[in-house]
């Protein structure tokens, strides 16, 4: 009997806090996914890092052996200075001296990566004034960009998603959730073709050292606003029409980001995903729940008022009875 009561109480507790249990499972799943990614990246990349370190040590050792007049300390200072300059996008190589990081087109490309929060990191402000302006520019520009993208996506969604789904649903009488799923799938395939596959083929042809996988990797890292900066187009020394190329990449990034947001918003409007999201959200208070709460508060206040009045009346009667006649 006690076991059945305990089990029933546990079941009621779980059902009453179902949203909280779903949320805790979501948090646990996210932590496990982070750990899974760390394990895979570490196991895949660590051997390559170790191999690269060994190659660099061997090259450094050979260089010092071939140049006895140069001490290891002087070489270390030179390499440290070169690496610091490279972190700011400045190279000491002769074939890179013709490329400037802060001409107008490069600065326009940098501004687009800052406002879109892509931030490749291949170029960064050198001066204190540039760093201060970057902070102010980003504080104003990032919310401005979010407002701009939201307004653009909201208008595009009307013509690319909502009207076509409603038209097919009313014209042929098909199930609206089914039409929405098929439409979202086709839209995603079109977006992948136009903003991932085709640009990847173009980048692999224009960039000498990029294959198709590396070009596709750049497209994904850029349009998902991850922006690792290991691949940045237009940085080759012999790049033809570099200014025009940089402007084209800037336009591609802005348009691609808009298309990605349209596709994501289209999937978010699917009925199945809405139901899935509701599992992890806090349940909103229903109007009847608020009425019950108000009634409970009113009853509590009335009870307290009645008890206070009765207590005061009792004190008055006691005082009257104890007073001399």
């Amino acid at each position: 009997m006690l076991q059945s009561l305990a089990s029933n109480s546990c079941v009621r507790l779980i059902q009453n806090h179902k949203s909280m249990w779903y949320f805790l499972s979501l948090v646990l799943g996210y932590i496990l996914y982070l750990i899974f990614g760390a394990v895979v990246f570490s196991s895949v990349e660590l051997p390559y890092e170790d191999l690269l370190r060994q190659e660099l040590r061997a090259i450094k050792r050979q260089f010092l052996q071939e140049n006895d007049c140069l001490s290891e300390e002087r070489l270390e200072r030179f390499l440290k200075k070169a690496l610091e300059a490279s972190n700011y996008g400045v190279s000491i190589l002769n074939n890179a001296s013709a490329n400037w990081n802060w001409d107008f087109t490069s600065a326009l490309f940098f501004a687009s990566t800052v406002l879109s929060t892509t931030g490749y990191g291949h170029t960064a402000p050198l001066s204190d004034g540039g760093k201060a302006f970057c902070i102010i520019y980003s504080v104003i520009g990032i919310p401005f960009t979010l407002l701009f993208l939201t307004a653009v996506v909201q208008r595009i969604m009307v013509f690319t998603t909502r009207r076509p789904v409603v038209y097919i649903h009313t014209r042929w009488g098909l199930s609206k959730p089914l039409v929405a799923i098929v439409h979202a799938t086709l839209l995603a395939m079109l977006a992948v073709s136009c903003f991932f596959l085709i640009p990847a083929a173009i980048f692999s042809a224009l960039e000498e050292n990029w294959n198709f996988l590396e070009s596709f990797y750049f497209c994904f890292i850029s349009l998902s606003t991850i922006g690792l900066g290991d691949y940045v187009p237009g940085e080759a020394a012999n790049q033809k029409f570099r200014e025009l190329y940089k402007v084209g990449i800037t336009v591609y990034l802005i348009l691609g980001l808009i298309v990605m947001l349209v596709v994501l918003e289209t999937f978010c409007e699917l009925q199945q995903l809405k139901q899935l999201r509701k599992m992890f959200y806090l349940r909103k208070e229903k109007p009847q729940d608020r009425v019950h709460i108000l009634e409970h508060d009113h009853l509590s206040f009335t009870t307290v008022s009645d008890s206070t009045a009765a207590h005061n009346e009792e004190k008055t009667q006691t005082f009257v009875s104890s007073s001399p006649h």
Side-chain angles (χ1 to χ4, degrees):
M1 183 66 180
L2 293 175
Q3 291 179 351
S4 62
L5 289 175
S7 62
N8 290 333
S9 62
C10 290
V11 170
R12 284 197 301 270
L13 179 64
I14 294 174
Q15 290 179 349
N16 293 333
H17 299 83
K18 189 181 294 185
S19 177
M20 179 59 68
W21 292 111
Y22 284 144
F23 176 73
L24 292 177
S25 64
L26 178 66
V27 172
L28 179 62
Y30 188 76
I31 294 173
L32 291 176
Y33 193 71
L34 283 175
I35 296 173
F36 168 73
V39 170
V40 173
F41 282 127
S42 178
S43 60
V44 171
E45 295 297 329
L46 196 58
Y48 286 92
E49 180 186 357
D50 183 59
L51 181 61
L52 183 59
R53 286 176 182 270
Q54 294 177 9
E55 290 179 356
L56 287 176
R57 291 194 190 100
I59 293 173
K60 178 183 173 182
R61 235 181 352 256
Q62 182 179 359
F63 181 82
L64 290 174
Q65 290 174 358
E66 294 175 354
N67 299 271
D68 298 333
C69 59
L70 182 64
S71 65
E72 185 175 359
E73 290 77 12
R74 292 179 61 188
L75 179 62
E76 289 281 349
R77 288 198 301 269
F78 172 75
L79 291 176
K80 182 180 179 181
K81 191 67 177 178
L83 290 175
E84 288 178 355
S86 179
N87 290 334
Y88 285 98
V90 179
S91 176
I92 62 172
L93 300 178
N94 290 330
N95 58 359
S97 59
N99 295 339
W100 291 88
N101 293 323
W102 295 106
D103 56 2
F104 177 76
T105 54
S106 298
L108 179 66
F109 178 68
F110 172 78
S112 68
T113 60
V114 169
L115 296 184
S116 63
T117 67
T118 304
Y120 292 113
H122 71 294
T123 303
L126 297 171
S127 63
D128 292 339
K131 294 172 183 176
F133 177 75
C134 184
I135 294 173
I136 299 172
Y137 184 72
S138 302
V139 168
I140 300 173
I142 291 176
F144 187 26
T145 303
L146 293 176
L147 176 62
F148 164 73
L149 292 176
T150 302
V152 172
V153 170
Q154 189 269 339
R155 282 163 172 77
I156 293 177
M157 285 287 295
V158 174
F159 298 99
T160 60
T161 298
R162 298 191 180 106
R163 287 187 180 178
V165 170
V166 172
Y167 176 79
I168 296 174
H169 169 64
T170 55
R171 178 75 175 180
W172 286 286
L174 298 175
S175 172
K176 192 173 182 180
L178 177 62
V179 173
I181 291 176
V182 174
H183 172 268
T185 304
L186 294 177
L187 187 64
M189 293 173 61
L190 182 63
V192 169
S193 300
C194 294
F195 287 89
F196 286 93
L197 297 177
I198 296 176
I202 294 174
F203 282 127
S204 62
L206 294 178
E207 299 290 332
E208 293 181 356
N209 300 322
W210 292 17
N211 55 31
F212 182 81
L213 176 60
E214 292 169 333
S215 301
F216 188 89
Y217 169 81
F218 163 76
C219 295
F220 176 79
I221 293 297
S222 299
L223 297 186
S224 60
T225 68
I226 298 174
L228 296 177
D230 47 350
Y231 289 92
V232 180
E235 297 298 317
N238 56 350
Q239 183 68 56
K240 297 180 179 179
F241 307 106
R242 185 172 182 268
E243 291 79 10
L244 184 61
Y245 189 33
K246 285 285 187 179
V247 173
I249 296 169
T250 304
V251 174
Y252 162 74
L253 291 177
I254 295 174
L255 292 179
L257 186 58
I258 292 173
V259 171
M260 291 301 102
L261 291 174
V262 169
V263 173
L264 289 176
E265 185 66 21
T266 300
F267 275 94
C268 287
E269 289 191 355
L270 293 177
Q271 195 65 31
Q272 293 81 357
L273 289 182
K274 287 183 179 179
Q275 294 175 355
L276 180 63
R277 292 201 307 271
K278 288 180 180 178
M279 293 171 56
F280 307 103
Y281 292 169
L282 284 174
R283 191 176 64 178
K284 294 182 179 180
E285 288 185 359
K286 297 180 181 179
Q288 55 266 29
D289 295 336
R290 296 176 184 171
V291 170
H292 293 330
I293 293 173
L294 291 175
E295 288 179 351
H296 180 269
D297 293 341
H298 177 70
L299 289 173
S300 300
F301 177 76
T302 304
T303 304
V304 172
S305 300
D306 293 341
S307 61
T308 304
H311 180 66
N312 292 334
E313 184 178 355
E314 183 181 354
K315 287 178 65 178
T316 304
Q317 291 176 356
T318 304
F319 175 76
V320 171
S321 60
S322 62
S323 62
H325 294 283

